[in-house]
Amino acid sequence: MVRTRFAPSPTGYLHVGGLRTALFSFLYARQQQGSFLFRLEDTDRNRLVEGAEEDLIAMLKWAGITPDEGPGVGGDYGPYKQSERLEIYARHAQILLDKGHAYPCFCSAERLEQVKTEQKAQGLISRYDGHCRNLPRDAGLTRIESGEPYVIRMKIPENETILMEDLIRDKVAINSEQIDDQVLIKTDRFPTYHMAVVVDDHLMRITHVIRGEEWLPSFPKHLLLYRYFGWEPPQFAHLPLILNTDRSKLSKRQGSVSVEDFRKEGYLSQTMVNFIALLGWNPGDAQELFSMEQLIERFSFERVGKSGSVFDREKLNWMNQQYIKKLSPEELWDALAPYIQTTPFAGESPDRLKKVCQIAQNSLTQLKDIQNSLSLFFEDRGSTLSDPVLIEFLKKEESRVVLKAFLEQTETLETLEDSNFAEVMKQIQKITGIKGKNLWLPMRYAITQVEQGPDLHLMVGVYGKNKCRKMVEYALGL
Ligand code: GLU
């Protein structure tokens, strides 16, 4: 039975890279009818960020990535928060000490700093110099009993080749000389990530560890720990980096990176899931739009690339537009309502607001764009016509003839709606003899005040007779 996990540290808000790790782990578990776990790796107490845990859980829920086990969900392998498992790690550290695969280290921070400086001066890679590695066991015990602060380090074998197999990458070998005697338990008795992750993945029966490429350097240490404990390691898949368009590592400088920011800007969750799935995974054909169900069906590690994938914000916008277009009127209204609420137009009749939403639907890239559409529709924009091209066009004699004819034709009309607007335009054409662009553009420019935009008929319907006449009067007053 396949068991995967997403094991974030609550050191910040969920990043798109984290969302991808969670998504791939979820897709694979669902596809294999296995279980997907959420585990909170909160052992680095100095880096905890308030609210991060809640954000991680809320964002996964928003994306439709639902854990089968986890904090607040339950499961047979809990607790799922590492800070609640300290006793388990202590017990396992003792096993390693007893087997001689770990040792207590009493080196002070000052000493370690000094070693580092010396190594740096000699041009060496900085690593622990093994000062406490061969301390006799009894001597170590006495110092522990006397209350001296200590950490527990893992003993990396000398000059050994460690072979690493990954579902995405080719086999890689590394010499153990390049690996540091990693701290497993810190002076505060909390485990380091390396200790906790291995113990938990084993005890929680994880079969596939899916995580970002930045964890590759930790991989050999983890494999060694599995060996020291005498456990069968799970399979590993290290996902490629996510890059900016200039191929540097994805960073905030080039735009949002936290899932919450994308949500706030008005990217739909289906857009984010679809877009993120294609960062590294390639379906092997031209299809670009995938529902969660389709992703579950088609995901495979064979089709995950090794090289970094670019986070193309233009493509994200395009995709969001596609998904917004697909929304039913009710879904659209639900999605847009929070963005409408914060505008001065929130009090307009729901009927008119809904009409505006529908008119704007095809032109929205992000949900927050509805705010521009609302001001376009509801604000008195009489004096905001500033585009010289439009102004020049509206000032032409032929345009003025059309606009004047519009005022005449609508004066006695009871109402002006999208349904009778075409009839009015036909009349104007008949009377003036003006047709095509020269007939329609003056109306479009006068009423919408933009060169290209929403459907003119629908807009006339939302504005109604009085506002349309007012807009035309503004244009004639130029
Ligand atoms: N706690 C690690 C993180 O923050 C988990 C890495 C792993 O999946 O092994 O990403």
Side-chain angles (χ1 to χ4, degrees), residues 84-205:
E84 294 169 11
R85 300 171 62 81
L86 299 189
E87 183 273 324
I88 299 175
Y89 310 124
R91 205 161 9 99
H92 283 84
Q94 193 56 50
I95 296 175
L96 295 180
L97 286 171
D98 292 346
K99 286 183 164 188
H101 290 310
Y103 59 93
C105 166
F106 302 91
C107 293
S108 64
E110 295 73 41
R111 180 177 182 275
L112 294 175
E113 201 47 51
Q114 197 189 335
V115 171
K116 210 170 170 182
T117 318
E118 280 165 19
Q119 285 171 338
K120 220 173 180 178
Q122 293 174 40
L124 300 170
I125 326 169
S126 77
R127 50 180 289 196
Y128 182 58
D129 63 352
H131 186 72
C132 296
R133 196 173 150 120
N134 298 314
L135 212 66
R137 218 182 147 166
D138 289 348
L141 275 177
T142 317
R143 287 173 74 173
I144 291 173
E145 272 156 23
S146 76
E148 203 177 322
Y150 70 103
V151 300
I152 298 176
R153 285 184 188 272
M154 82 187 268
K155 217 178 231 177
I156 302 288
E158 278 166 44
N159 197 14
E160 194 194 299
T161 305
I162 298 161
L163 201 63
M164 296 177 280
E165 278 185 65
D166 186 280
L167 290 166
I168 297 168
R169 278 139 221 285
D170 306 323
K171 264 186 208 164
V172 196
I174 185 173
N175 188 286
S176 62
E177 294 300 307
Q178 292 177 37
I179 311 168
D180 214 355
D181 273 2
Q182 177 65 50
V183 173
L184 299 177
I185 303 280
K186 297 175 280 184
T187 39
D188 62 4
R189 303 322 333 134
F190 273 78
T192 55
Y193 154 69
H194 306 279
M195 176 71 180
V197 81
V198 168
V199 168
D200 287 349
D201 282 341
H202 174 73
L203 294 181
M204 296 182 183
R205 309 220 174 152

Side-chain angles (χ1 to χ4, degrees), residues 397-426:
E397 192 44 42
E398 215 176 18
S399 303
R400 296 178 61 82
V401 169
V402 171
L403 297 175
K404 279 180 193 154
F406 175 82
L407 289 183
E408 279 159 24
Q409 289 301 310
T410 51
E411 197 172 355
T412 53
L413 266 187
E414 203 169 308
T415 58
L416 181 63
E417 302 288 340
D418 27 343
S419 51
N420 63 351
F421 179 53
E423 192 48 45
V424 170
M425 293 303 284
K426 219 186 250 170

Side-chain angles (χ1 to χ4, degrees), residues 454-473:
D455 183 290
L456 180 60
H457 287 73
L458 286 172
M459 197 146 167
V460 166
V462 174
Y463 278 176
K465 174 179 156 181
N466 289 343
K467 181 147 184 199
C468 283
R469 286 174 60 83
K470 205 166 162 191
M471 302 300 280
V472 167
E473 277 162 11

Side-chain angles (χ1 to χ4, degrees), residues 5-11 18 21 25 39-43 47 82 193 197-198 201 209-212 214-215 218 222 236 238:
R5 66 2 176 231
F6 177 50
S9 301
T11 52
T21 301
S25 307
R39 182 175 69 227
L40 197 72
E41 304 211 324
D42 57 348
T43 59
R47 292 183 58 223
Q82 291 187 329
Y193 154 69
V197 81
V198 168
D201 282 341
V209 168
I210 301 160
R211 61 187 176 192
E214 64 274 24
W215 299 104
S218 308
H222 298 176
F236 287 84
H238 289 92

